[in-house]
Amino acid sequence: DTGVSQDPRHKITKRGQNVTFRCDPISEHNRLYWYRQTLGQGPEFLTYFQNEAQLEKSRLLSDRFSAERPKGSFSTLEIQRTEQGDSAMYLCASSLARGSGNTIYFGEGSWLTVV
Amino acid sequence: AQSVAQPEDQVNVAEGNPLTVKCTYSVSGNPYLFWYVQYPNRGLQFLLKYITGDNLVKGSYGFEAEFNKSQTSFHLKKPSALVSDSALYFCAVDDYKLSFGAGTTVTVRA
């Protein structure tokens, strides 16, 4: 069990550019989540997958954001035409899917700075 | 909608003193409640959770939490705080995804 892995850990990009983050969940976990956290705030839910199916998207996930989990293993989160307001830490997490109450394990996060 | 609230932005304690971080919840049905800790520029680390059963839950690093249904609270406690416990603490409720409180910054002074 190597934990949830995220890459890159830090990304600085110019406004208007596209960025992509990758997440590798804990190997036996079939649920994968994306959260966004800004400085001094709690994480906000963006979306989650069960296997390769995207089951819910928050209204925070604008049309510029897209997440995929093509084979039910790793996931990518792409932000198109980045804006300064997208600057945040993007957290990936994973869990088993057995109803509610499963422990959700987080990665170290990917920091995005849009300049 | 299920939610949690952390009424204190900051908690300051001296090393060796008891530490309490407060959390209240608003949930329909049986709550699944969690505590996480976050160190600077790091992800969230799981501390403990309440699913059902014993109201006193023990977790990692000497932390425990008490579930109180009548007060709709789930306060995090540690009998003797360490300087290394200084961090940001989040309470969360699970509704097939986690919804977090705003967080409480804990500072333990030597």
Side-chain angles (χ1 to χ4, degrees), chain B residues 65-93:
Chain B
E66 186 171 9
F67 173 72
N68 188 316
K69 189 171 184 178
S70 63
Q71 297 185 2
T72 62
S73 66
F74 187 55
H75 299 333
L76 181 71
K77 299 181 180 182
K78 187 170 185 179
S80 178
L82 301 172
V83 172
S84 57
D85 294 328
S86 298
L88 184 55
Y89 290 79
F90 290 101
C91 181
V93 60

Side-chain angles (χ1 to χ4, degrees), chain A residues 35 37 56 101 103-104 108, chain B residues 36 38 42 49 94 96 98:
Chain A
Y35 286 79
Q37 185 181 21
E56 185 174 339
T103 300
I104 297 177
E108 292 292 333
Chain B
Y36 286 82
Q38 187 175 36
R42 304 293 298 276
K49 66 182 179 183
D94 181 13
Y96 65 84
L98 290 173

Side-chain angles (χ1 to χ4, degrees), chain A residues 9 31 33 35 37 40-45 48 56 89 91 99-109 111, chain B residues 2 32 34 36 38 40-46 49-51 88 90 94-103:
Chain A
R9 291 291 315 281
R31 280 191 185 167
Y33 308 79
Y35 286 79
Q37 185 181 21
Q41 302 296 317
E44 297 173 299
F45 170 78
Y48 91 97
E56 185 174 339
M89 182 161 68
L91 289 160
S100 292
N102 298 292
T103 300
I104 297 177
Y105 295 93
F106 285 81
E108 292 292 333
W111 277 104
Chain B
Q2 312 212 67
Y32 299 130
F34 292 74
Y36 286 82
Q38 187 175 36
N41 300 316
R42 304 293 298 276
L44 278 72
Q45 295 181 28
F46 168 73
K49 66 182 179 183
Y50 172 81
I51 303 300
L88 184 55
F90 290 101
D94 181 13
D95 183 16
Y96 65 84
K97 63 183 186 292
L98 290 173
S99 297
F100 288 88

Side-chain angles (χ1 to χ4, degrees), chain A residues 37-78:
Chain A
Q37 185 181 21
T38 53
L39 210 58
Q41 302 296 317
E44 297 173 299
F45 170 78
L46 292 178
T47 188
Y48 91 97
F49 294 82
Q50 182 152 320
N51 300 314
E52 64 275 11
Q54 189 173 19
L55 297 187
E56 185 174 339
K57 292 192 291 186
S58 163
R59 57 185 165 78
L60 294 175
L61 211 66
S62 76
D63 291 345
R64 296 184 297 106
F65 287 70
S66 62
E68 294 183 344
R69 195 182 183 197
K71 296 182 180 179
S73 56
F74 73 92
S75 175
T76 58
L77 176 69
E78 181 183 20

